[in-house]
Amino acid sequence: EDFSFDAKLLRPYFEFTRVRDGLFELTRELFGVRCEPVTGVPVWHESVEVYDVYEGAKRLGRFYLDMHPRKDKYTHAAAAGLVRGILGTALPQAALMCNLPDPREGPALMEYLEVETLFHEFGHLLHAIFMGHGRWAKNTDDGIEWDFIEAPSQMMEEWVRDPATLRRFARHHETGEPVPAEFVAKLKRADAVSRAL
């Protein structure tokens, strides 16, 4: 109320497929890797997408995106390691599970907090892929300090508050217009409310 901001005004600018693709493009620019779709791989549900991560010609690992709600699926978001990567033995594999709007059911418009959650959890997923190339298990994902585990995900979610980054993929699902700068400015002001608590 104090900042005259309603987060629902952003929903038309956060269409799931465009947000996902924007996240992949940001990942490519930040880390020099690309996410290539993989088909013909066994998955636990038909809606699960599979991607391999490449740095140039080198395959770094694989991840699974289980993005949409369904009966009997839990309702929160999480990233999980599936295969512990160890140098010369196995490439890392991880999964990201969310409950985001499904584009197969019409316009899949996300809430701002869902976009932030997707970026945050994708940071955990990338962490699993990037750290899964150590020589010893204790130096990959077991025994890492908790604040370091959260650092990559918290850094990724900051990009959702960057106006220039948002305008690249946050476009109105009907008109294609980028998210208005004043919406982003109001979002940033409202986001700081009660932060100290």
Side-chain angles (χ1 to χ4, degrees), residues 27-141:
T27 299
R28 185 190 64 74
E29 290 181 19
L30 288 175
F31 303 107
V33 299
R34 67 186 188 284
C35 304
E36 296 284 340
V38 178
T39 57
V41 175
V43 292
W44 54 92
H45 189 268
E46 63 187 20
S47 66
V48 174
E49 298 178 330
V50 184
Y51 294 86
D52 281 347
V53 179
Y54 287 90
E55 182 177 35
K58 181 181 178 185
R59 185 169 161 252
L60 300 180
R62 172 170 289 171
F63 65 84
Y64 298 76
L65 295 183
D66 187 350
M67 296 281 92
H68 311 298
R70 62 179 174 274
K71 187 178 183 324
D72 298 325
K73 181 181 174 186
Y74 63 82
T75 58
H76 64 283
L82 300 177
V83 174
R84 179 176 291 176
I86 305 246
L87 186 65
T89 302
L91 288 178
Q93 294 188 37
L96 177 55
M97 292 77 61
C98 295
N99 287 280
L100 304 174
D102 191 339
R104 298 174 300 176
E105 299 174 3
L109 305 180
M110 300 169 64
E111 301 283 345
Y112 168 75
L113 287 178
E114 292 175 321
V115 176
E116 183 181 69
T117 297
L118 175 60
F119 273 61
H120 178 99
E121 295 300 334
F122 197 76
H124 286 305
L125 184 96
L126 288 175
H127 194 183
I129 298 296
F130 293 157
M131 74 180 173
H133 299 273
R135 188 171 170 198
W136 311 106
K138 280 286 189 188
N139 294 342
T140 56
D141 64 347

Side-chain angles (χ1 to χ4, degrees), residues 170-191:
R171 296 183 170 273
H172 196 283
H173 73 105
E174 293 176 335
T175 67
E177 289 295 315
V179 63
E182 62 268 19
F183 281 17
V184 180
K186 284 183 178 184
L187 167 70
K188 288 177 84 168
R189 285 193 302 274
D191 192 50

Side-chain angles (χ1 to χ4, degrees), residues 4-10:
S4 302
F5 179 71
D6 181 356
K8 291 196 183 326
L9 295 174
L10 292 171

Side-chain angles (χ1 to χ4, degrees), residues 144-181:
I144 295 175
E145 295 293 337
W146 191 254
D147 57 350
F148 187 72
I149 287 173
E150 284 302 315
S153 55
Q154 291 176 349
M155 286 184 241
M156 284 300 291
E157 75 181 52
E158 285 302 315
W159 292 101
V160 181
R161 292 181 264 285
D162 179 63
T165 300
L166 267 185
R167 291 176 62 83
R168 292 169 52 186
F169 66 84
R171 296 183 170 273
H172 196 283
H173 73 105
E174 293 176 335
T175 67
E177 289 295 315
V179 63

Side-chain angles (χ1 to χ4, degrees), residues 193-197:
V193 171
S194 299
R195 182 172 284 167
L197 296 177

